[in-house]
Amino acid sequence: MIIDCHGHYTTAPKALEAWRNRQIAGLEDPSVAPRASELKISDDELRETIEQNQLRLMKERGSDLTIFSPRASFMAHHIGDFNASSTWAAICNELCYRVAQLFPDNFIGAAMLPQSPGVDPKTCVPELERCVKEYGFVGINLNPDPSGGHWKEPPLSDRHWYPIYEKMVEHDIPAMVHVSTSCNACFHTTGAHYLNADTTAFMQCLTSDLFKDFPTLKFVIPHGGGAVPYHWGRFRGLAQELKKPLLKDHLLNNIFFDTCVYHQPGIDLLTKVIPVDNVLFASEMIGAVRGIDPETGHYYDDTRRYIETANISAEDRFKIFEANARRVYPRLDAALKAKGL
């Protein structure tokens, strides 16, 4: 089975964006603010957006199951207050749940949290628990910078985040550390802010003893880990100077990297530098990089091709495609076993 651990509902019906625009307008003029019940999207509309997009590409490219979460750039936690984020997260998560219900063999949910700058993360716990208990979601997306590129929150190692970590451990779910839209002109959202955050999250964990407090906590750092694999020697050296254990003992029981790296040399580097047990297959298809690579004639985000071509064993390929995801996402593994898979 080929499990894609990084999918977003980037193709949701236009009614969702229209509702969000009304919600944003309502922050200035409450008289135009929509109620959640005013958003009407039929199952047929959901089917059409999925069948013509994600599911079509999954079939063409040969992947089986996608861990599916709301569109990352739409999370936009910097907009409005906690109440706005709470309503928006609930709507987006419900749509992903409905997609998973309509296509149970192909999609399973991961939750967006109703984060808001300066607000205690414990306010996210009810939505997290609803998605796990009622929707059967197998993970969450955690935004380390809900300010949108201004980095006003404490680092991920700070006790500020512990209410979320405690629930992650209790429910045995990992978090993909994933920022949202940048509202800082210095940082392009997908080309800079995302990769900055991937690298920053890793370094915040490296300089801390977070995993001593939470030995079973799991983070998936997307987009191949940002700069981390390319600068593995730098991080090893920094850990050594800080008198930390070797990275394999300090971080690699808890931190994993996906394969959203959109060229063969990048995947070759990732699989050579990072232990294969810490690499999970992902594509983030119909995401940040949607075009065709003129050097290969294939879509940049057709990442299965890169894994198939990488100089790794069949056993390692199986780990990347399936086994690692089942280990890092225990609730996914349980759901598959319940189906006899």
Side-chain angles (χ1 to χ4, degrees):
M1 177 176 290
I2 295 181
I3 300 170
D4 187 335
C5 76
H6 190 171
H8 299 300
Y9 198 1
T10 56
T11 61
K14 294 298 183 183
L16 179 66
E17 184 175 3
W19 187 96
R20 175 63 162 172
N21 289 337
R22 290 179 60 200
Q23 185 194 39
I24 293 171
L27 298 172
E28 295 293 330
D29 180 4
S31 68
V32 302
R35 295 186 300 273
S37 60
E38 293 177 36
L39 178 62
K40 305 293 185 184
I41 296 176
S42 69
D43 284 354
D44 285 343
E45 290 177 282
L46 296 180
R47 285 192 190 93
E48 182 179 4
T49 63
I50 294 296
E51 288 175 344
Q52 298 303 314
N53 294 289
Q54 283 87 354
L55 189 58
R56 175 180 61 83
L57 291 177
M58 288 169 66
K59 290 178 178 178
E60 288 178 3
R61 299 176 186 180
S63 63
D64 299 301
L65 176 69
T66 297
I67 298 176
F68 205 53
S69 63
R71 184 175 177 179
S73 62
F74 267 27
M75 295 192 298
H77 293 121
H78 61 279
I79 294 176
D81 57 12
F82 171 75
N83 288 330
S85 284
S86 182
T87 302
W88 180 231
I91 284 173
C92 292
N93 287 331
E94 183 184 22
L95 287 181
C96 289
Y97 168 66
R98 288 174 60 192
V99 168
Q101 291 294 104
L102 291 170
F103 302 96
D105 294 332
N106 304 108
F107 298 93
I108 195 164
M112 163 186 171
L113 298 180
Q115 296 176 244
S116 189
V119 177
D120 191 330
K122 72 180 180 183
T123 57
C124 296
V125 168
E127 181 67 13
L128 182 157
E129 295 209 298
R130 184 172 74 92
C131 288
V132 171
K133 294 178 179 180
E134 297 180 21
Y135 290 170
F137 282 14
V138 299
I140 60 172
N141 290 340
L142 179 64
N143 183 353
D145 174 35
S147 71
H150 294 286
W151 292 91
K152 296 179 179 179
E153 305 300 303
L156 290 172
S157 54
D158 192 90
R159 296 189 69 85
H160 170 83
W161 301 99
Y162 278 26
I164 291 178
Y165 299 161
E166 289 163 359
K167 289 300 176 180
M168 287 172 58
V169 169
E170 177 184 339
H171 296 299
D172 208 5
I173 56 172
M176 179 169 282
V177 182
H178 205 309
V179 289
S180 185
T181 299
S182 170
C183 55
N184 183 332
C186 296
F187 303 129
H188 182 276
T189 293
T190 54
H193 186 42
Y194 282 15
L195 305 182
N196 294 347
D198 303 334
T199 309
T200 298
F202 184 84
M203 191 64 196
Q204 288 177 355
C205 294
L206 187 153
T207 56
S208 75
D209 293 314
L210 173 62
F211 300 123
K212 287 185 177 178
D213 286 351
F214 296 99
T216 62
L217 189 68
K218 297 185 183 72
F219 290 151
V220 177
I221 299 184
H223 320 115
V228 174
Y230 188 68
H231 288 286
W232 195 243
R234 175 182 290 259
F235 291 110
R236 287 175 53 235
L238 290 169
Q240 185 173 314
E241 290 181 16
L242 292 167
K243 310 301 182 186
K244 299 295 184 183
L246 296 175
L247 288 185
K248 67 181 181 65
D249 301 315
H250 184 42
L251 298 181
L252 292 187
N253 291 317
N254 308 88
I255 290 181
F256 305 85
F257 304 86
D258 79 10
T259 63
C260 291
V261 181
Y262 296 141
H263 66 151
Q264 190 66 51
I267 289 293
D268 292 342
L269 174 78
L270 177 68
T271 55
K272 183 176 181 179
V273 173
I274 301 300
V276 72
D277 287 346
N278 291 79
V279 179
L280 278 65
F281 176 71
S283 66
E284 199 177 12
M285 65 169 63
I286 317 182
V289 183
R290 305 185 183 192
I292 293 176
D293 184 344
E295 295 182 4
T296 67
H298 300 293
Y299 284 94
Y300 287 100
D301 62 4
D302 186 359
T303 52
R304 177 179 174 177
R305 291 179 174 274
Y306 309 138
I307 306 303
E308 296 284 7
T309 306
N311 186 26
I312 57 177
S313 69
E315 179 184 0
D316 286 348
R317 200 167 284 116
F318 167 71
K319 288 181 177 181
I320 291 173
F321 279 143
E322 177 179 355
N324 292 346
R326 295 181 77 136
R327 177 167 49 87
V328 175
Y329 291 83
R331 286 180 173 268
L332 169 63
D333 185 53
L336 292 173
K337 286 178 177 174
K339 295 180 178 182
L341 298 172

